[in-house]
Amino acid sequence: MIRKVYMTKDEFKKQNKELSAGLPFSDDTSVLASPLKIGMHLINNRLACQAMEGCDGTPDGRPDTLTARRYDRLARGGAGVIWFEATAVLPEARANPRQLYINENTLDSFKHQVEKIKNTALRENGFEPIVIMQATHSGRYSKPEGKPAPLIAYNNPVFEKDNPISSDRILSDDDIDRVGEALVNGARLAEKAGFDGVDIKCCHRYLNSELLSAYNRPGRYGGSLENRTRLLRESVSGAIKSCNKDFIVTSRLNVYDGFPYPYGFGVSADGSLDFDPTEPIWLLKELQKSGVELLNISMGNPYFNPHVNRPFAFGGYEPPEHSLLGVSRVLNGTALLKSQVPQLKIICSALSYLGVAAPHVAAAYIENGGFDFAGFGRTIFAYPDFAKDILKNGEMKKENCCIACSKCTEIMREGGTTGCVIRDRDTYLPIYQKFCGGK
Ligand SMILES: Cc1cc2nc3c(=O)[nH]c(=O)nc-3n(C[C@H](O)[C@H](O)[C@H](O)COP(=O)(O)O)c2cc1C
């Protein structure tokens, strides 16, 4: 695989052609500066900061100093959408002891954080971004005390192999009902805190996303497509009913996870790992019928197949495909879904590997109706003001781009507070050295 710290636009074009990756490219990126309305919200531009957890909250779940620093940089950065990171709605559902946790006791800190984002952005850029809170239950990745305490939808031999998780860690239907109530309550709290919307998180094989493939689970949350999507659909409807009508209810949704059938969602039932959009299309249409206007589309699992979820240049293993093909799966899969539900507004994922080519690729998709917002993940750690540069010059500066080196993930896996070790090194290199042994 070709490893390039700086992929130039020409190199991108060459690789795209050689690999037949099918990624479009537009020289003109001005469409990224065009506004778009979602409900009552006029969004200034098409650039979105994806949900990126820093694992840097206080032990009781409030944003802490590094959290405030990250969002201050994003607020100044000029993106139209800030997708506020995974925020637990139950104590046992936290993915790490420093994951944010919204509840009546921590609400004041969230209020303060949202206000700061809005005020800073208005002062710096002359407009407020919409800020959406991601409400999460970490499911099998729950680690509230720092050691694994999984709460699963079903035992999955792809993960568990011959060592199934004990049955008392499989959530009952009643337990899942309570998770639904907690997600709806999380939506109410997010509204009280001043967020513009809530994301009922359903991606990356956390609880809601794992349920999508619970083909063999008995009861109300397993088996049929209606049952497997019940927690998501009912939490979304519950949130819509419980919140004001200008509050955006959305989901970050995995439409393909790359696990073989019957353990994967959006995966062909023929035993291959091919994307099958049939069930995702049904789900998008159902969500739209229930009043959803905006969805954030993702793929893969960051633990099992990170090359699907966030194509990388350097990582813990040699990916089985070229990373441009991974980017292509996410972006072309997203565009295919958008073609089936053209009125839904869609945010894409997995642009960071493209570096300086990213705004050009995103602009081409947006011009062709492939999606509506360009969502940047790892880039926001490396280059929090990427949007400002794109809006001003139509380009990103190559020396600021994410190099897809996976170090932010490494720190996270080792239990540290995370950010960009390369571009924000004064803050994060010492943390990397402490947690990852200075590798
Ligand atoms: C350190 C780190 C933290 C992340 N935190 C979240 C999160 O809180 N919620 C979420 O939905 N995705 C999270 N992601 C996934 C990203 O939002 C994004 O989907 C992924 O990195 C691919 O996009 P990119 O190529 O632009 O980085 C995280 C990824 C990384 C590397």
Side-chain angles (χ1 to χ4, degrees):
M1 136 162 210
I2 303 162
R3 295 201 156 94
K4 282 278 179 201
V5 172
Y6 301 120
M7 184 162 59
T8 63
K9 287 188 277 179
D10 285 343
E11 279 161 348
F12 162 78
K13 285 179 185 166
K14 188 164 167 274
Q15 286 182 28
N16 189 33
K17 197 166 163 204
E18 279 169 9
L19 293 159
S20 303
L23 292 161
F25 186 98
S26 170
D27 287 318
D28 177 5
T29 62
S30 56
V31 68
L32 298 174
S34 59
L36 188 66
K37 221 171 162 200
I38 309 258
M40 336 253 285
H41 303 264
L42 184 65
I43 301 170
N44 177 274
N45 60 66
R46 306 301 186 94
L47 298 163
C49 296
Q50 278 293 8
M52 287 288 290
E53 219 187 320
C55 314
D56 50 19
T58 61
D60 64 345
R62 300 166 191 269
D64 203 353
T65 320
L66 282 175
T67 330
R69 177 180 182 270
R70 285 188 293 113
Y71 286 100
D72 182 60
R73 284 153 56 97
L74 296 184
R76 291 168 194 278
V81 179
I82 295 182
W83 210 274
F84 194 85
E85 72 204 72
T87 302
V89 293
L90 288 168
E92 69 273 21
R94 292 170 86 185
N96 63 73
R98 291 176 71 88
Q99 184 170 54
L100 301 182
Y101 168 33
I102 194 164
N103 57 65
E104 293 291 350
N105 297 328
T106 60
L107 184 62
D108 55 335
S109 303
F110 284 89
K111 242 184 211 161
H112 178 65
Q113 180 63 77
V114 181
E115 239 169 58
K116 264 188 82 181
I117 295 174
K118 298 260 177 186
N119 290 341
T120 304
L122 190 60
R123 193 180 63 239
E124 289 291 317
N125 309 316
F127 69 89
E128 291 180 5
I130 59 158
V131 190
I132 310 273
M133 188 198 85
Q134 183 172 69
T136 191
H137 186 300
S138 303
R140 66 167 46 244
Y141 300 109
S142 297
K143 244 184 179 182
E145 309 294 337
K147 47 182 196 315
L151 293 164
I152 60 173
Y154 66 96
N155 260 303
N156 179 345
V158 176
F159 287 121
E160 273 80 64
K161 309 219 162 40
D162 293 333
N163 288 310
I165 292 175
S166 71
S167 55
D168 61 320
R169 309 299 301 179
I170 303 178
L171 293 167
S172 68
D173 284 2
D174 289 349
D175 293 334
I176 297 181
D177 290 345
R178 282 190 288 275
V179 171
E181 286 160 18
L183 288 166
V184 173
N185 190 45
R188 278 191 217 107
L189 290 170
E191 187 178 31
K192 274 198 196 166
F195 287 101
D196 299 292
V198 72
D199 154 17
I200 305 294
K201 182 177 189 179
C202 190
C203 61
H204 308 159
R205 303 285 306 208
Y206 295 96
L207 180 64
N208 228 325
S209 164
E210 180 167 76
L211 277 166
L212 298 181
S213 62
Y215 300 92
N216 295 326
R217 182 188 161 102
R220 283 181 287 120
Y221 291 99
S224 68
L225 179 56
E226 284 81 357
N227 283 353
R228 284 181 278 124
T229 58
R230 183 181 305 284
L231 177 63
L232 172 63
R233 290 183 299 104
E234 293 189 351
S235 310
V236 163
S237 314
I240 291 174
K241 277 196 205 103
S242 309
C243 299
N244 284 319
K245 76 175 184 324
D246 58 346
F247 186 69
I248 299 169
V249 178
T250 174
S251 180
R252 188 154 199 223
L253 180 64
N254 247 49
V255 294
Y256 168 85
D257 44 27
F259 285 61
Y261 180 85
Y263 306 109
F265 182 67
V267 178
S268 169
D270 67 6
S272 71
L273 290 181
D274 293 346
F275 176 42
D276 180 346
T278 317
E279 291 198 339
I281 291 170
W282 179 87
L283 180 54
L284 263 60
K285 289 185 173 165
E286 288 300 304
L287 291 171
Q288 187 177 24
K289 274 190 230 158
S290 70
V292 168
E293 287 185 58
L294 171 73
L295 284 175
N296 186 339
I297 300 296
S298 191
M299 289 189 178
N301 171 286
Y303 306 84
F304 177 73
N305 53 18
H307 64 279
V308 177
N309 176 250
R310 47 175 173 78
F312 53 80
F314 305 91
Y317 62 98
E318 190 63 29
E321 63 188 4
H322 194 288
S323 289
L324 265 196
L325 298 176
V327 175
S328 168
R329 181 189 298 107
V330 178
L331 299 185
N332 284 324
T334 302
L336 188 151
L337 295 175
K338 168 84 185 172
S339 72
Q340 301 300 306
V341 278
Q343 303 88 344
L344 264 180
K345 304 292 186 291
I346 302 282
I347 303 189
C348 79
S349 299
L351 286 170
S352 292
Y353 177 79
L354 300 176
V356 291
H360 296 275
V361 171
Y365 276 106
I366 292 175
E367 275 164 6
N368 301 336
F371 48 77
D372 303 280
F373 292 94
F376 288 81
R378 289 161 293 176
T379 296
I380 69 166
F381 278 0
Y383 192 173
D385 47 359
F386 72 100
K388 224 174 225 174
D389 283 344
I390 296 173
L391 297 172
K392 189 163 162 227
N393 308 319
E395 300 284 351
M396 288 163 81
K397 295 186 182 120
K398 72 174 181 345
E399 63 276 17
N400 292 353
C401 285
C402 165
I403 60 166
C405 69
S406 302
K407 287 190 168 36
C408 52
T409 308
E410 261 183 82
I411 303 182
M412 192 179 187
R413 296 284 177 269
E414 297 300 327
T417 54
T418 195
C420 184
V421 178
I422 307 296
R423 307 293 188 208
D424 198 3
R425 54 188 296 132
D426 289 351
T427 302
Y428 289 103
L429 182 60
I431 298 175
Y432 182 73
Q433 284 166 335
K434 178 171 166 207
F435 283 89
C436 308
K439 284 179 273 174

